[in-house]
Amino acid sequence: MNWRAFQAIQKVTELGPRFLSYVDEGEGDPVILMHGIPTWGFLFRDLIESLTAKRRVLAPDLLGFGFSDKRDCFDRSIGRQTEALIAWMDKLRLDRADIVGHDIGGGIALRLAALHPARVGRLCVMNGVSYDAWPIELMLQFGHPENRRKMSAGEASTMLKRALKSGFAVAPEDEFLDGLLAPYGTETGKTSLIRNAAALNTNLTTEITHLLPQISAPTLILWGQEDSFQLAKFGKRLASDIPGAKFVPIEKAKHFVMIDQHEIVARELQAFLYI
Amino acid sequence: MLKHSSLKPISEQEAKGEIDRVYHEIMQTMRVTGVNLNFRTWASWENFLPLMWDAMRPIVGTLAFEQAGDEVRKRTVSEVRALPTVSAFHSAGLGESQAFQVHAALRLYHYINPKLLVFTSAVRLALMGHAVSHALEPSEPIVLGPPDGMFPMEMVEEGEEEKRIKAIFEDIASTLSLATINSDYRTLALWPEYLDQAWRALKPITQTVEYNSAADRIRELARDFAQRLPAPAGLTSAAVKDTGENVDQILKTTSNFERILPPLILNIAILTGECETDYSRLVSPFPAELRKPLFSGGGR
């Protein structure tokens, strides 16, 4: 499925004046997949297919990302994203769901589990942001407000594509990479992504560090061992802080672990989610 | 082929100094999420845009101006009742989120284009030295800023078009005699299948006498409202000449915008018909509120 076909299966929910696009496939108990920066739900294209046999899989585009609202007028911090996610779950009448988060989606997943434990069934963090391990230098620089004026949308896409490639053990096909960046190829998309980068705030994970030992959801920490964006040591630290959490290092995988080792990740998740 | 204009519109990203300042004020005062092609083109005369905008700004941020746009929109909707309807949503196979976003984009342009036409007519009249006739009462200020929930003015960038979008743009340009593709079509190009289907349906309609007569009537109505707005202080051809800019060229471009906007307004109203009731199309998608005085008085 190319990105346009993926976009065509997205549904939409209005959250006050904002809107959030998401994929909702399969039937069964819900599992929510949350992407990070600078991607969107399309990142989980193959994983969704691997999980829908027995589960209802939802993959939202976070506010300001993908084909969700990209207007330049709201807070995109993971604190706000967590609240938006709860509002979205309420709209969909999802009292509780299993949560899988990658990159900043991992940070949101941790906040959900720590601050809203009743909403989380099982928790999986894949190369997610945590503690003071983020934002990475690249995103700190990208989030500078002046970049909106300095960089055209085309230049930003070229730069991001180069940077994204370093997050894979083996670079995927151009078509997939271009698809990951497609929503950001316009001036609006570029500005939105810059604002998203500007909203990355380490305090929003450091402030929940003391709550990690209180997380009660069964937890799986999957980590691409060769990730240079989010180092594996932080994954191990999470596993030691969250009671009963299982740490699964994935060899020959970098930041985008679900692409680098799709079959292993799918198998681990299926086992964890009882599929 | 697109007849490339010698003028190079200034994008929001390229805007610096005074142009950047004016672009910000345009979005706040016109209550819109982006800067339309008119303004980006006027910005290519860097001394003209600030002069013109500073003269127009006090008029734009008023209820009278907003209502003039509302009346042009209402007339447009009543005109399109006599024109064929289109069915592009279904034939484009849009998904739920895509359909939501196309609708939101149509609402954006259904709101802003009539205002843009009144604005353009007012600028043209001022440059031609027309006196104000039967002026409207001094009007109250409205709450400024793009309304919550308005779609961003996102569009496919020039030079970044896919092959099939380029082909549609060329057909639009040659059919409607456009030198540059308007923001509206660039926004709808975010959903190429939709733009394709929409344009296929619209194209034959745009060739009819009824359509062109309707466009003429909309233009006349906008001129009438523009003529009754307060005159923009300081916006005269002599003042523009003093800045060193070419008045004739500016007037020609402004007249051209006044020519191409009514068909664009009609097209958006026709397309909006597929996702809105007749009544909801008639009323402003983003009604303006009057600005409350900072101090209500009566205190001790």
Side-chain angles (χ1 to χ4, degrees), chain A residues 25 157 161 181 237 271:
Chain A
E25 295 280 293
S157 287
K161 191 171 170 182
L181 295 174
R237 190 179 295 176

Side-chain angles (χ1 to χ4, degrees), chain A residues 11 13 17 28 38-39 56 58 80 82 89 110 119 122 125 148 159 171 209 219 224 246 248 264:
Chain A
K11 298 180 183 333
T13 297
T39 63
R56 177 183 178 192
L58 300 106
R80 175 72 189 99
T82 307
M89 287 174 74
L110 288 169
R119 310 306 295 258
R122 301 174 83 80
V125 177
R148 186 174 77 82
M159 189 276 276
T209 300
T219 302
K246 182 182 171 192
V248 177
I264 297 173

Side-chain angles (χ1 to χ4, degrees), chain B residues 24 26 29 31 59 62 65 82 102 125 181 184-185 187 223 233 260 292 299:
Chain B
H24 171 75
I26 286 169
T29 316
R31 303 174 68 232
I59 302 163
T62 64
F65 181 80
V102 170
L125 288 169
I181 290 293
D184 316 49
Y185 301 117
T187 295
R223 275 184 190 163
I260 65 174
K292 293 188 183 95

Side-chain angles (χ1 to χ4, degrees), chain B residues 16-298:
Chain B
K16 290 182 177 66
E18 274 291 88
I19 303 296
D20 188 36
R21 186 265 300 177
V22 170
Y23 277 10
H24 171 75
E25 290 179 4
I26 286 169
M27 288 189 279
Q28 291 293 102
T29 316
M30 292 287 281
R31 303 174 68 232
V32 67
T33 48
V35 179
N36 289 81
L37 178 65
N38 286 33
F39 294 110
R40 286 184 274 123
T41 305
W42 279 322
S44 58
W45 294 285
E46 61 179 335
N47 298 318
F48 170 69
L49 183 73
L51 171 83
M52 179 271 280
W53 174 252
D54 290 342
M56 289 295 294
R57 185 184 176 191
I59 302 163
V60 173
T62 64
L63 193 62
F65 181 80
E66 194 75 17
Q67 286 173 338
D70 291 346
E71 290 304 317
V72 171
R73 189 178 309 104
K74 269 188 211 162
R75 168 63 75 84
T76 306
V77 171
S78 65
E79 292 285 354
V80 300
R81 284 185 194 130
L83 298 172
T85 56
V86 301
S87 169
F89 267 70
H90 185 69
S91 45
L94 294 176
E96 184 183 295
S97 173
Q98 289 174 315
F100 173 89
Q101 291 178 61
V102 170
H103 183 189
L106 290 173
R107 280 166 59 85
L108 158 68
Y109 290 109
H110 190 52
Y111 170 72
I112 192 62
N113 286 350
K115 289 173 67 175
L116 204 54
L117 175 60
V118 174
F119 187 100
T120 304
S121 293
V123 172
R124 179 181 153 275
L125 288 169
L127 293 177
M128 290 176 70
H130 272 254
V132 179
S133 65
H134 315 296
L136 296 164
E137 292 294 309
S139 189
E140 294 159 282
I142 55 168
V143 175
L144 303 183
D148 239 357
M150 181 184 272
F151 197 68
M153 200 179 278
E154 182 171 13
M155 58 186 94
V156 171
E157 306 300 326
E158 209 169 331
E160 299 289 325
E161 306 94 340
E162 292 172 20
K163 206 173 161 188
R164 65 172 165 163
I165 293 173
K166 210 174 264 183
I168 300 169
F169 281 174
E170 288 189 351
D171 193 28
I172 293 173
S174 68
T175 306
L176 302 178
S177 304
L178 306 179
T180 312
I181 290 293
N182 294 80
S183 314
D184 316 49
Y185 301 117
R186 289 199 168 277
T187 295
L188 296 181
L190 293 170
W191 307 276
E193 208 54 51
Y194 176 76
L195 178 65
D196 188 21
Q197 295 298 327
W199 176 241
R200 274 174 206 268
L202 284 172
K203 187 177 174 181
I205 302 172
T206 65
Q207 315 293 300
T208 62
V209 175
E210 292 79 7
Y211 175 93
N212 286 294
S213 304
D216 289 342
R217 287 190 289 273
I218 291 164
R219 193 178 297 109
E220 280 308 314
L221 183 69
R223 275 184 190 163
D224 181 47
F225 276 111
Q227 204 150 13
R228 293 195 287 143
L229 289 170
L235 181 58
T236 62
S237 58
V240 175
K241 211 172 275 176
D242 284 348
T243 68
E245 301 290 14
N246 185 330
V247 183
D248 292 340
Q249 215 183 14
I250 293 169
L251 190 54
K252 196 175 154 196
T253 301
T254 306
S255 300
N256 192 43
F257 277 126
E258 200 195 35
R259 177 185 67 80
I260 65 174
L261 275 167
L264 194 59
I265 294 170
L266 276 169
N267 290 351
I268 296 295
I270 293 169
L271 295 175
T272 306
E274 203 183 347
C275 43
E276 297 219 359
T277 63
D278 193 60
Y279 175 74
S280 66
R281 263 195 308 177
L282 274 174
V283 296
S284 171
F286 303 102
E289 284 173 35
L290 286 176
R291 205 185 311 171
K292 293 188 183 95
L294 284 177
F295 303 102
S296 52

